[in-house]
mmCIF file with all atom_site columns, all heavy atoms in Angstrom:
data_model
loop_
_atom_site.group_PDB
_atom_site.id
_atom_site.type_symbol
_atom_site.label_atom_id
_atom_site.label_alt_id
_atom_site.label_comp_id
_atom_site.label_asym_id
_atom_site.label_entity_id
_atom_site.label_seq_id
_atom_site.pdbx_PDB_ins_code
_atom_site.Cartn_x
_atom_site.Cartn_y
_atom_site.Cartn_z
_atom_site.occupancy
_atom_site.B_iso_or_equiv
_atom_site.pdbx_formal_charge
_atom_site.auth_seq_id
_atom_site.auth_comp_id
_atom_site.auth_asym_id
_atom_site.auth_atom_id
_atom_site.pdbx_PDB_model_num
ATOM 1  N N   . PRO A 1 90  ? -184.973 59.651 67.738 1.00 0.00 ? 199 PRO A N   1
ATOM 2  C CA  . PRO A 1 90  ? -185.785 59.790 68.948 1.00 0.00 ? 199 PRO A CA  1
ATOM 3  C C   . PRO A 1 90  ? -185.105 59.372 70.253 1.00 0.00 ? 199 PRO A C   1
ATOM 4  O O   . PRO A 1 90  ? -185.592 59.716 71.326 1.00 0.00 ? 199 PRO A O   1
ATOM 5  C CB  . PRO A 1 90  ? -187.012 58.921 68.662 1.00 0.00 ? 199 PRO A CB  1
ATOM 6  C CG  . PRO A 1 90  ? -186.591 57.995 67.575 1.00 0.00 ? 199 PRO A CG  1
ATOM 7  C CD  . PRO A 1 90  ? -185.510 58.688 66.797 1.00 0.00 ? 199 PRO A CD  1
ATOM 8  N N   . THR A 1 91  ? -183.975 58.688 70.189 1.00 0.00 ? 200 THR A N   1
ATOM 9  C CA  . THR A 1 91  ? -183.298 58.282 71.426 1.00 0.00 ? 200 THR A CA  1
ATOM 10 C C   . THR A 1 91  ? -182.288 59.313 71.899 1.00 0.00 ? 200 THR A C   1
ATOM 11 O O   . THR A 1 91  ? -181.490 59.029 72.802 1.00 0.00 ? 200 THR A O   1
ATOM 12 C CB  . THR A 1 91  ? -182.617 56.910 71.262 1.00 0.00 ? 200 THR A CB  1
ATOM 13 O OG1 . THR A 1 91  ? -181.674 56.998 70.196 1.00 0.00 ? 200 THR A OG1 1
ATOM 14 C CG2 . THR A 1 91  ? -183.636 55.813 70.989 1.00 0.00 ? 200 THR A CG2 1
ATOM 15 N N   . VAL A 1 92  ? -182.304 60.516 71.315 1.00 0.00 ? 201 VAL A N   1
ATOM 16 C CA  . VAL A 1 92  ? -181.395 61.566 71.770 1.00 0.00 ? 201 VAL A CA  1
ATOM 17 C C   . VAL A 1 92  ? -181.637 61.807 73.261 1.00 0.00 ? 201 VAL A C   1
ATOM 18 O O   . VAL A 1 92  ? -182.769 61.845 73.724 1.00 0.00 ? 201 VAL A O   1
ATOM 19 C CB  . VAL A 1 92  ? -181.555 62.866 70.939 1.00 0.00 ? 201 VAL A CB  1
ATOM 20 C CG1 . VAL A 1 92  ? -182.940 63.471 71.081 1.00 0.00 ? 201 VAL A CG1 1
ATOM 21 C CG2 . VAL A 1 92  ? -180.496 63.881 71.321 1.00 0.00 ? 201 VAL A CG2 1
ATOM 22 N N   . ASP A 1 93  ? -180.556 61.941 74.014 1.00 0.00 ? 202 ASP A N   1
ATOM 23 C CA  . ASP A 1 93  ? -180.640 62.107 75.465 1.00 0.00 ? 202 ASP A CA  1
ATOM 24 C C   . ASP A 1 93  ? -180.007 63.444 75.846 1.00 0.00 ? 202 ASP A C   1
ATOM 25 O O   . ASP A 1 93  ? -178.781 63.598 75.774 1.00 0.00 ? 202 ASP A O   1
ATOM 26 C CB  . ASP A 1 93  ? -179.908 60.957 76.147 1.00 0.00 ? 202 ASP A CB  1
ATOM 27 C CG  . ASP A 1 93  ? -180.037 60.962 77.657 1.00 0.00 ? 202 ASP A CG  1
ATOM 28 O OD1 . ASP A 1 93  ? -180.371 62.014 78.242 1.00 0.00 ? 202 ASP A OD1 1
ATOM 29 O OD2 . ASP A 1 93  ? -179.783 59.905 78.269 1.00 0.00 ? 202 ASP A OD2 1
ATOM 30 N N   . PRO A 1 94  ? -180.818 64.427 76.263 1.00 0.00 ? 203 PRO A N   1
ATOM 31 C CA  . PRO A 1 94  ? -180.275 65.740 76.635 1.00 0.00 ? 203 PRO A CA  1
ATOM 32 C C   . PRO A 1 94  ? -179.229 65.662 77.748 1.00 0.00 ? 203 PRO A C   1
ATOM 33 O O   . PRO A 1 94  ? -178.294 66.469 77.769 1.00 0.00 ? 203 PRO A O   1
ATOM 34 C CB  . PRO A 1 94  ? -181.508 66.527 77.090 1.00 0.00 ? 203 PRO A CB  1
ATOM 35 C CG  . PRO A 1 94  ? -182.653 65.857 76.398 1.00 0.00 ? 203 PRO A CG  1
ATOM 36 C CD  . PRO A 1 94  ? -182.275 64.402 76.318 1.00 0.00 ? 203 PRO A CD  1
ATOM 37 N N   . ASP A 1 95  ? -179.367 64.714 78.666 1.00 0.00 ? 204 ASP A N   1
ATOM 38 C CA  . ASP A 1 95  ? -178.366 64.578 79.737 1.00 0.00 ? 204 ASP A CA  1
ATOM 39 C C   . ASP A 1 95  ? -176.992 64.225 79.166 1.00 0.00 ? 204 ASP A C   1
ATOM 40 O O   . ASP A 1 95  ? -175.968 64.712 79.646 1.00 0.00 ? 204 ASP A O   1
ATOM 41 C CB  . ASP A 1 95  ? -178.791 63.517 80.761 1.00 0.00 ? 204 ASP A CB  1
ATOM 42 C CG  . ASP A 1 95  ? -179.977 63.958 81.591 1.00 0.00 ? 204 ASP A CG  1
ATOM 43 O OD1 . ASP A 1 95  ? -180.165 65.182 81.769 1.00 0.00 ? 204 ASP A OD1 1
ATOM 44 O OD2 . ASP A 1 95  ? -180.724 63.074 82.065 1.00 0.00 ? 204 ASP A OD2 1
ATOM 45 N N   . VAL A 1 96  ? -176.976 63.373 78.162 1.00 0.00 ? 205 VAL A N   1
ATOM 46 C CA  . VAL A 1 96  ? -175.706 63.018 77.520 1.00 0.00 ? 205 VAL A CA  1
ATOM 47 C C   . VAL A 1 96  ? -175.132 64.245 76.822 1.00 0.00 ? 205 VAL A C   1
ATOM 48 O O   . VAL A 1 96  ? -173.929 64.508 76.897 1.00 0.00 ? 205 VAL A O   1
ATOM 49 C CB  . VAL A 1 96  ? -175.889 61.845 76.533 1.00 0.00 ? 205 VAL A CB  1
ATOM 50 C CG1 . VAL A 1 96  ? -174.607 61.593 75.740 1.00 0.00 ? 205 VAL A CG1 1
ATOM 51 C CG2 . VAL A 1 96  ? -176.299 60.584 77.281 1.00 0.00 ? 205 VAL A CG2 1
ATOM 52 N N   . LEU A 1 97  ? -175.973 65.020 76.159 1.00 0.00 ? 206 LEU A N   1
ATOM 53 C CA  . LEU A 1 97  ? -175.504 66.244 75.501 1.00 0.00 ? 206 LEU A CA  1
ATOM 54 C C   . LEU A 1 97  ? -174.875 67.200 76.504 1.00 0.00 ? 206 LEU A C   1
ATOM 55 O O   . LEU A 1 97  ? -173.807 67.763 76.250 1.00 0.00 ? 206 LEU A O   1
ATOM 56 C CB  . LEU A 1 97  ? -176.660 66.928 74.759 1.00 0.00 ? 206 LEU A CB  1
ATOM 57 C CG  . LEU A 1 97  ? -177.283 66.148 73.609 1.00 0.00 ? 206 LEU A CG  1
ATOM 58 C CD1 . LEU A 1 97  ? -178.512 66.873 73.079 1.00 0.00 ? 206 LEU A CD1 1
ATOM 59 C CD2 . LEU A 1 97  ? -176.276 65.911 72.496 1.00 0.00 ? 206 LEU A CD2 1
ATOM 60 N N   . VAL A 1 98  ? -175.509 67.370 77.658 1.00 0.00 ? 207 VAL A N   1
ATOM 61 C CA  . VAL A 1 98  ? -174.961 68.249 78.701 1.00 0.00 ? 207 VAL A CA  1
ATOM 62 C C   . VAL A 1 98  ? -173.602 67.739 79.168 1.00 0.00 ? 207 VAL A C   1
ATOM 63 O O   . VAL A 1 98  ? -172.648 68.514 79.307 1.00 0.00 ? 207 VAL A O   1
ATOM 64 C CB  . VAL A 1 98  ? -175.935 68.372 79.903 1.00 0.00 ? 207 VAL A CB  1
ATOM 65 C CG1 . VAL A 1 98  ? -175.266 69.046 81.096 1.00 0.00 ? 207 VAL A CG1 1
ATOM 66 C CG2 . VAL A 1 98  ? -177.183 69.132 79.496 1.00 0.00 ? 207 VAL A CG2 1
ATOM 67 N N   . MET A 1 99  ? -173.499 66.432 79.379 1.00 0.00 ? 208 MET A N   1
ATOM 68 C CA  . MET A 1 99  ? -172.235 65.861 79.841 1.00 0.00 ? 208 MET A CA  1
ATOM 69 C C   . MET A 1 99  ? -171.135 66.017 78.786 1.00 0.00 ? 208 MET A C   1
ATOM 70 O O   . MET A 1 99  ? -169.978 66.257 79.120 1.00 0.00 ? 208 MET A O   1
ATOM 71 C CB  . MET A 1 99  ? -172.409 64.390 80.209 1.00 0.00 ? 208 MET A CB  1
ATOM 72 C CG  . MET A 1 99  ? -173.289 64.173 81.431 1.00 0.00 ? 208 MET A CG  1
ATOM 73 S SD  . MET A 1 99  ? -172.676 65.038 82.893 1.00 0.00 ? 208 MET A SD  1
ATOM 74 C CE  . MET A 1 99  ? -171.091 64.288 83.095 1.00 0.00 ? 208 MET A CE  1
ATOM 75 N N   . LEU A 1 100 ? -171.501 65.915 77.527 1.00 0.00 ? 209 LEU A N   1
ATOM 76 C CA  . LEU A 1 100 ? -170.509 66.099 76.466 1.00 0.00 ? 209 LEU A CA  1
ATOM 77 C C   . LEU A 1 100 ? -170.023 67.540 76.404 1.00 0.00 ? 209 LEU A C   1
ATOM 78 O O   . LEU A 1 100 ? -168.826 67.781 76.222 1.00 0.00 ? 209 LEU A O   1
ATOM 79 C CB  . LEU A 1 100 ? -171.087 65.672 75.113 1.00 0.00 ? 209 LEU A CB  1
ATOM 80 C CG  . LEU A 1 100 ? -171.275 64.171 74.930 1.00 0.00 ? 209 LEU A CG  1
ATOM 81 C CD1 . LEU A 1 100 ? -172.043 63.891 73.652 1.00 0.00 ? 209 LEU A CD1 1
ATOM 82 C CD2 . LEU A 1 100 ? -169.941 63.442 74.938 1.00 0.00 ? 209 LEU A CD2 1
ATOM 83 N N   . VAL A 1 101 ? -170.928 68.493 76.562 1.00 0.00 ? 210 VAL A N   1
ATOM 84 C CA  . VAL A 1 101 ? -170.518 69.895 76.585 1.00 0.00 ? 210 VAL A CA  1
ATOM 85 C C   . VAL A 1 101 ? -169.609 70.138 77.788 1.00 0.00 ? 210 VAL A C   1
ATOM 86 O O   . VAL A 1 101 ? -168.550 70.764 77.661 1.00 0.00 ? 210 VAL A O   1
ATOM 87 C CB  . VAL A 1 101 ? -171.741 70.847 76.614 1.00 0.00 ? 210 VAL A CB  1
ATOM 88 C CG1 . VAL A 1 101 ? -171.310 72.284 76.865 1.00 0.00 ? 210 VAL A CG1 1
ATOM 89 C CG2 . VAL A 1 101 ? -172.524 70.744 75.315 1.00 0.00 ? 210 VAL A CG2 1
ATOM 90 N N   . ALA A 1 102 ? -170.003 69.629 78.947 1.00 0.00 ? 211 ALA A N   1
ATOM 91 C CA  . ALA A 1 102 ? -169.180 69.801 80.152 1.00 0.00 ? 211 ALA A CA  1
ATOM 92 C C   . ALA A 1 102 ? -167.801 69.181 79.959 1.00 0.00 ? 211 ALA A C   1
ATOM 93 O O   . ALA A 1 102 ? -166.783 69.786 80.311 1.00 0.00 ? 211 ALA A O   1
ATOM 94 C CB  . ALA A 1 102 ? -169.881 69.176 81.360 1.00 0.00 ? 211 ALA A CB  1
#
Side-chain angles (χ1 to χ4, degrees):
T200 59
V201 63
D202 185 341
D204 290 333
V205 173
L206 296 173
V207 169
M208 293 303 299
L209 289 171
V210 171

